[in-house]
Amino acid sequence: MSTDETTRRAWAYLSRVVEPPHTGLRDFVETEGPEAAAAAIRARRLPAPYDALLGPTQARAEIDTAAQDLETAARLGVRLVTPEDEEWPGWQLWSLRAADTVERGGPPLALWVRGPGNLADAATAGIGVIGARNSTSYGEYVTGQLVGGLVEGGWTVVSGGAFGIDGTAHRACLGSGGTTIAVMACGIDVDYPSAHSALFAAIARDGLIVSEYPPGTTAARHRFLTRNRLVAALSTAVVVVEAGRRSGAANTAAWARKLGRPLGAVPGPVTSAMSVGCNRMIADEQAALITGAAALISLAAPDGEGGPNRGPVRTTDALAGDRQLVYEAIPARGAITADEIAVNAGVGVTAVMAALAMLEVDGFVAAVGDGWAIVRD
Amino acid sequence: MSTDETTRRAWAYLSRVVEPPHTGLRDFVETEGPEAAAAAIRARRLPAPYDALLGPTQARAEIDTAAQDLETAARLGVRLVTPEDEEWPGWQLWSLRAADTVERGGPPLALWVRGPGNLADAATAGIGVIGARNSTSYGEYVTGQLVGGLVEGGWTVVSGGAFGIDGTAHRACLGSGGTTIAVMACGIDVDYPSAHSALFAAIARDGLIVSEYPPGTTAARHRFLTRNRLVAALSTAVVVVEAGRRSGAANTAAWARKLGRPLGAVPGPVTSAMSVGCNRMIADEQAALITGAAALISLAAPDGEGGPNRGPVRTTDALAGDRQLVYEAIPARGAITADEIAVNAGVGVTAVMAALAMLEVDGFVAAVGDGWAIVRD
């Protein structure tokens, strides 16, 4: 077995050993690397503070279906994308680090991905188009109009693959020749809802299907809520086309706001139950009123920055702790050594090195000669 | 002829001698009183700076149909309401003083009124419900719902008597047993649009019809714009139910904003041409999103203040010039003489007396013994 294959098996094992996402596991993997982390969990030898993982991993530690999962995946044309891969959407997922405090709110450990595109590239131009399952003809018509405009502008449509607005958005995108990303609340090999199996097959052919759950995972209520954070994270902006008084779309909208993604909503008749949620988000100034694709695009890229073919709008706002101190200690121009950074930042050299490694993975900094420099777009 | 009748004839003469409203004429009448002002205009003897009125009054100075106008009015059950009358809506019209700089933007000189109610009382609880002439069934349905809720809360519905949303609002109000005020862009004896003559008769029976134009004045484009400011001024808040891309309702909405009246708009389908104006006002944060009567009422009376049976929310924000200086020179408690005010305000005693007279007319201050005190609600 090649090193690469061993590593991939470790990731696959880790993706199933606890219900994802799990902050403690992710921290452990970031510190120890996937193979050592997987081995330690299997051997039940976890150093403090990672011994907290003993409980959560107990039930599944010895169930190793990694080889089988990767085989199933390969058969379906599914790949396991990890932070070590080029198409890992590090920028998009970065904002989730600040949500680590929310249960199952942090970044995913890894993502199972199906479809021809490069996930990071597609997500760079992603706009979330979401809404009620029991949509009306009004909502479906507006979704089609919006998506048509987004595709024309080169944007990717991100949604949740559900009935109603989600499905309409994916279909309209494929129909317009655009790229769409469906983020699943179940294993990537599970068609949920099953009535959308043809749609999922079409997305797998021309777009991308993404799940943080290992193959075979069934859809469950808590997984929809967990999935919603990824729809928001993989989007530059999110629009809610229709939403009832209590709608799952409101949860995705809340994630968009928490992650600093501009949120829009399409207004609708005050007589329509399916526009109550949208009208309320607008009235409460939680969402901008969106009347068409142009308004949505300028919400996503107010200065014409970011979006298709322009690279992501990189933000360092989400940097926290040592990473923030270290990042800010590096001059805007030129390189600086880790020792100098330690002095500037008032952070120990070991911590500086750890922070630099993370910052490098996420593309904020790059090693230049013996030192480190800010990465410029 | 009694003094009262002489005065009334002077007001009637002045109401026709120039196209109302006219700031110069109003200032002259406020300074000289209606009889002296009318006599001076008739005699073409106008002291500076009022000689500026010579031009505008030239054409009509010698056409005195005052007696005839008052006769016509009496026959139709119309009365001429002036700032000297108890039902003069002084508070509501006060805000227009700040708009004197806008052509035909200042307060009216006098108002021709028809109907059983007391105009000042009715306007205290007034909410403007306006919108497109070519309304849709959606807009008409929502108007009915809104107005029903307003009437239940004891509010008066103010509108412009036009086709579409205006007419629907008046009708819904009468149908719910409420009080409605129609502000006309023509003489009060002219039914414009003529298809609304039955509606106007019903309003005259149970509500109030108001016009600043003397009897017989025909509707004209500039009079609609001029009328719109009165719809806004006589309303505590204004809601636009439907408005196209270019709508007269946008002009009334602009007046509401200029006069500091909270403005609301009902969202509608982004696919409806008649909701384009409303959605845009909401998107541009010019209007609050209104989904029903409760939202509209809390827009009009955010702290439960003002509105029906609670008296108007008096505002001194619109006070300007000497009036503001004089008002602010009076202590919050206790009385103070005009001489003391002059010293405090740094304004000459004559100007102080003039300002006090105006402030008293509008109910901001009251004479107490030898001095003046702030009027408290």
Side-chain angles (χ1 to χ4, degrees):
Chain A
M1 199 157 67
S2 71
T3 315
D4 191 60
E5 214 177 320
T6 314
T7 311
R8 204 140 297 263
R9 279 221 190 149
W11 280 112
Y13 170 80
L14 294 164
S15 119
R16 189 188 281 283
V17 75
V18 285
E19 172 83 16
H22 192 284
T23 298
L25 179 63
R26 205 196 68 246
D27 281 349
F28 188 44
V29 173
E30 281 180 2
T31 309
E32 300 292 325
E35 287 159 271
I41 291 168
R42 266 195 209 97
R44 318 307 291 148
R45 279 198 304 266
L46 293 161
Y50 300 111
D51 50 351
L53 282 169
L54 282 171
T57 59
Q58 186 169 26
R60 298 195 197 163
E62 288 174 32
I63 302 167
D64 190 349
T65 58
Q68 192 186 319
D69 286 345
L70 289 167
E71 227 170 83
T72 307
R75 189 161 33 81
L76 295 167
V78 170
R79 58 196 180 275
L80 181 57
V81 176
T82 76
E84 296 173 341
D85 294 309
E86 187 266 328
E87 69 170 312
W88 180 252
W91 285 114
Q92 286 75 19
L93 300 175
W94 183 264
S95 56
L96 288 169
R97 290 185 176 265
D100 249 353
T101 47
V102 179
E103 205 193 335
R104 298 209 179 90
L109 184 76
L111 292 168
W112 300 84
V113 177
R114 187 178 180 191
N118 175 301
L119 178 59
D121 289 350
T124 293
I127 290 188
V129 179
I130 60 164
R133 283 177 171 71
N134 44 346
S135 51
T136 71
S137 57
Y138 166 64
E140 288 153 19
Y141 177 83
V142 174
T143 301
Q145 293 292 103
L146 280 176
V147 167
L150 293 181
V151 170
E152 206 167 305
W155 295 84
T156 300
V157 171
V158 184
S159 198
F163 284 134
I165 300 300
D166 285 22
T168 306
H170 290 306
R171 267 191 213 98
C173 187
L174 294 172
S176 313
T179 301
T180 190
I181 301 176
V183 187
M184 310 295 280
C186 54
I188 199 160
D189 58 334
V190 178
D191 285 339
Y192 185 92
S194 60
H196 274 183
S197 55
L199 174 61
F200 294 137
I203 298 174
R205 198 171 49 238
D206 294 326
L208 288 159
I209 300 189
V210 175
S211 173
E212 66 185 309
Y213 299 105
T217 308
T218 54
R221 180 166 163 70
H222 71 273
R223 292 190 184 119
F224 287 104
L225 299 175
T226 308
R227 177 273 311 272
N228 290 343
R229 86 191 194 293
L230 292 182
V231 171
L234 295 175
S235 301
T236 306
V238 172
V239 66
V240 186
V241 180
E242 282 195 310
R245 193 171 294 279
R246 293 169 169 204
S247 172
N251 176 257
T252 310
W255 271 111
R257 286 171 56 76
K258 190 189 289 283
L259 302 182
R261 301 295 191 264
L263 177 66
V266 174
V270 298
T271 49
S272 167
M274 282 304 116
S275 286
V276 167
C278 289
N279 287 336
R280 189 172 44 198
M281 282 182 232
I282 297 165
D284 294 349
E285 294 176 12
Q286 288 174 0
L289 187 151
I290 297 298
T291 54
L296 181 53
I297 289 170
S298 72
L299 186 73
D303 308 319
E305 281 180 23
N309 312 319
R310 291 197 195 85
V313 181
R314 299 192 179 189
T315 175
T316 54
D317 293 353
L319 289 177
D322 284 352
R323 283 167 205 150
Q324 187 184 18
L325 296 174
V326 166
Y327 183 85
E328 286 174 0
I330 306 174
R333 289 170 188 285
I336 182 174
T337 68
D339 287 339
E340 290 168 328
I341 294 170
V343 172
N344 288 359
V347 173
V349 176
T350 317
V352 166
M353 292 305 295
L356 284 170
M358 286 308 308
L359 289 166
E360 188 183 27
V361 166
D362 288 297
F364 286 106
V365 304
V368 176
D370 293 337
W372 296 84
I374 299 292
V375 170
R376 223 158 288 289
D377 293 329
Chain B
M1 200 157 66
S2 71
T3 315
D4 190 59
E5 214 177 319
T6 315
T7 311
R8 202 138 298 262
R9 281 221 190 149
W11 281 111
Y13 169 81
L14 294 164
S15 119
R16 190 187 281 282
V17 74
V18 285
E19 172 83 18
H22 192 285
T23 299
L25 180 63
R26 207 195 67 246
D27 281 348
F28 188 44
V29 174
E30 282 181 0
T31 309
E32 299 292 326
E35 286 159 274
I41 291 168
R42 265 195 209 96
R44 316 308 291 149
R45 279 199 304 267
L46 293 162
Y50 300 110
D51 49 351
L53 282 169
L54 281 171
T57 60
Q58 186 168 27
R60 298 195 197 162
E62 286 174 34
I63 302 167
D64 191 351
T65 59
Q68 192 186 320
D69 286 344
L70 288 167
E71 227 170 82
T72 306
R75 189 160 32 81
L76 295 168
V78 170
R79 57 196 181 274
L80 181 56
V81 175
T82 77
E84 296 173 340
D85 293 309
E86 186 266 329
E87 70 170 312
W88 180 252
W91 287 114
Q92 285 75 20
L93 299 175
W94 183 264
S95 56
L96 288 169
R97 291 188 174 261
D100 250 353
T101 47
V102 180
E103 204 193 338
R104 297 210 180 90
L109 185 75
L111 292 169
W112 300 84
V113 178
R114 187 177 180 191
N118 173 301
L119 177 59
D121 290 349
T124 293
I127 292 187
V129 180
I130 60 164
R133 283 176 172 73
N134 44 347
S135 51
T136 70
S137 58
Y138 166 64
E140 288 154 19
Y141 176 82
V142 174
T143 301
Q145 293 291 104
L146 280 177
V147 167
L150 293 181
V151 170
E152 205 167 304
W155 295 83
T156 300
V157 171
V158 185
S159 198
F163 283 134
I165 301 299
D166 286 22
T168 305
H170 290 305
R171 269 193 211 96
C173 187
L174 293 173
S176 314
T179 302
T180 191
I181 302 176
V183 187
M184 310 294 281
C186 54
I188 199 160
D189 57 335
V190 177
D191 285 339
Y192 186 92
S194 60
H196 275 183
S197 54
L199 174 61
F200 294 137
I203 298 174
R205 197 170 51 237
D206 294 325
L208 289 160
I209 300 190
V210 175
S211 173
E212 66 186 309
Y213 299 105
T217 308
T218 54
R221 179 167 163 70
H222 71 272
R223 291 189 185 120
F224 288 103
L225 298 175
T226 308
R227 178 274 309 273
N228 291 343
R229 86 192 194 292
L230 291 182
V231 171
L234 295 176
S235 301
T236 307
V238 173
V239 66
V240 186
V241 181
E242 284 194 310
R245 194 170 294 278
R246 292 166 168 207
S247 171
N251 177 258
T252 310
W255 271 111
R257 286 171 56 77
K258 190 189 289 284
L259 303 182
R261 301 294 192 265
L263 177 66
V266 174
V270 298
T271 49
S272 168
M274 282 303 116
S275 286
V276 168
C278 288
N279 287 336
R280 189 171 44 197
M281 283 182 230
I282 297 166
D284 295 349
E285 294 178 12
Q286 288 174 1
L289 186 151
I290 296 297
T291 53
L296 181 53
I297 289 170
S298 71
L299 186 73
D303 307 319
E305 280 179 23
N309 312 318
R310 291 196 195 87
V313 181
R314 299 191 179 188
T315 175
T316 54
D317 293 352
L319 289 177
D322 285 351
R323 283 169 205 148
Q324 187 184 19
L325 296 174
V326 166
Y327 182 85
E328 287 175 358
I330 307 175
R333 289 169 187 286
I336 182 173
T337 67
D339 288 340
E340 290 168 326
I341 294 170
V343 173
N344 288 358
V347 173
V349 175
T350 316
V352 167
M353 292 305 295
L356 284 170
M358 286 309 308
L359 288 167
E360 188 183 26
V361 165
D362 288 297
F364 287 105
V365 304
V368 176
D370 291 339
W372 296 85
I374 300 291
V375 170
R376 222 158 286 289
D377 292 329

